């Protein structure tokens, strides 16, 4: 990794396969990112072991130890800032972050969501997509704003829904796309190619959608 690589912190809650896609992209030289730390709000999350295996600092910050959401958020922000992160990446981070945290990292806080937003914000997206009978489903990388899963979209990938699909089968195909588009969106950010104007993302000066 070059010394000029952008400093990032990745926030997770679980297995960390999207984290792994970022680690792999850095390792393969596709992404100039210095992942300073991986922080999980769930102690023992499998993703923490992926960080350790990659030689990245891993730490748990258990949200259950805080009675107020704002206190958890400030403890989290403190850890992020101590690592001088220029970019904060949510990768399967299952806590809602309050407006103070979100505005602190305005324009440099990204999330990956397993649906074609604005369709199916929130949880259980694959089952809901199947129940709605959509023909196309997918994944979205977006900047985070205080509106849940409602921030400016950076990139999306579509996946065809197949007859007889189960939520698990569909999730597995969407996940392949997640692992492709998250490192891509982060790469564009590290290259300074993304900007946000009037709630829309521009890449190389052109609106992305
Ligand atoms: C992914 O589908 C992500 O889009 C969603 O939660 C899942 C996390 O998976 N927010 P992983 O922890 O990255 O494997």
């Amino acid at each position: 990794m070059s010394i000029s690589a952008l400093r990032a912190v990745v926030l997770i809650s679980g297995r960390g396969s999207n984290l792994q896609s970022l680690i792999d992209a850095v390792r393969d030289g596709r992404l100039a990112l210095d992942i300073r730390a991986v922080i999980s709000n769930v102690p023992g999350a499998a993703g923490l072991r992926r960080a350790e295996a990659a030689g990245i600092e891993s730490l748990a910050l258990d949200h259950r130890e805080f009675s107020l959401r704002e206190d958890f958020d400030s403890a989290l922000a403190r850890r992020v800032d101590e690592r001088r992160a220029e970019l904060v990446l949510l990768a399967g981070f299952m806590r809602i972050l309050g407006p103070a945290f979100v505005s602190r990292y305005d324009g440099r806080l990204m999330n990956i969501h397993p649906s074609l937003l604005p369709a199916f914000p929130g949880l259980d997206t694959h089952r809901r997509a199947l129940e709605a009978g959509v023909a196309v489903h997918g994944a979205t990388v977006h900047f985070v704003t205080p509106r849940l899963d409602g921030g400016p979209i950076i990139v999306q990938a579509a996946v065809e829904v197949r007859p007889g699909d189960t939520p698990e089968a569909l999730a597995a195909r969407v996940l392949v796309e997640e692992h492709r588009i998250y490192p891509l969106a982060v790469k564009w950010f590290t290259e300074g190619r993304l900007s946000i104007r009037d709630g829309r993302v521009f890449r190389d000066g052109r609106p992305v959608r």
Side-chain angles (χ1 to χ4, degrees):
M1 182 192 319
S2 83
I3 44 170
S4 61
L6 197 91
R7 289 184 301 276
V9 166
V10 183
L11 307 184
I12 63 165
S13 300
R15 78 190 149 176
S17 72
N18 278 290
L19 162 69
Q20 190 68 54
S21 75
L22 296 165
I23 291 173
D24 292 349
V26 172
R27 193 197 49 212
D28 300 348
R30 284 178 282 132
L31 185 59
L33 194 69
D34 180 5
I35 305 176
R36 305 294 305 161
V38 172
I39 307 177
S40 172
N41 67 309
V42 178
L48 290 173
R49 291 197 293 279
R50 295 180 190 263
E52 284 153 25
I56 298 168
E57 182 193 12
S58 69
L59 52 143
L61 184 65
D62 189 343
H63 63 271
R64 291 168 304 188
E65 287 174 9
F66 299 82
S67 45
L68 295 178
R69 182 182 298 279
E70 300 78 60
D71 292 346
F72 170 75
D73 284 5
S74 357
L76 186 58
R78 201 156 54 242
R79 282 158 182 78
V80 169
D81 293 348
E82 278 163 6
R83 284 148 190 92
R84 296 188 298 130
E86 298 160 280
L87 179 62
V88 181
L89 298 168
L90 309 184
F93 185 71
M94 303 306 282
R95 288 291 295 170
I96 292 176
L97 293 161
F101 187 97
V102 171
S103 60
R104 183 180 192 88
Y105 303 104
D106 188 28
R108 52 196 187 100
L109 177 59
M110 274 188 202
N111 182 41
I112 175 106
H113 180 79
S115 80
L116 291 175
L117 291 171
F120 311 116
L123 298 174
D124 218 1
T125 57
H126 309 299
R127 185 187 53 76
R128 287 159 60 211
L130 290 175
E131 281 173 9
V134 295
V136 179
H137 186 47
T140 303
V141 181
H142 64 96
F143 285 110
V144 176
T145 62
R147 209 172 86 213
L148 180 68
D149 298 326
I153 289 172
I154 302 166
V155 61
Q156 296 187 301
V159 162
E160 192 183 315
V161 178
R162 295 181 188 156
D165 252 344
T166 59
E168 294 74 26
L170 185 54
R173 294 205 309 285
V174 169
L175 200 59
V176 171
E177 293 303 309
E178 292 184 41
H179 296 164
R180 186 176 65 79
I181 63 174
Y182 209 6
L184 188 63
V186 174
K187 179 180 162 63
W188 292 334
F189 185 92
T190 63
E191 293 171 342
R193 295 169 62 186
L194 301 179
S195 54
I196 309 172
R197 229 177 321 144
D198 300 329
R200 292 178 81 185
V201 175
F202 291 71
R203 190 175 88 235
D204 302 327
R206 284 186 293 278
V208 298
R209 59 196 286 275

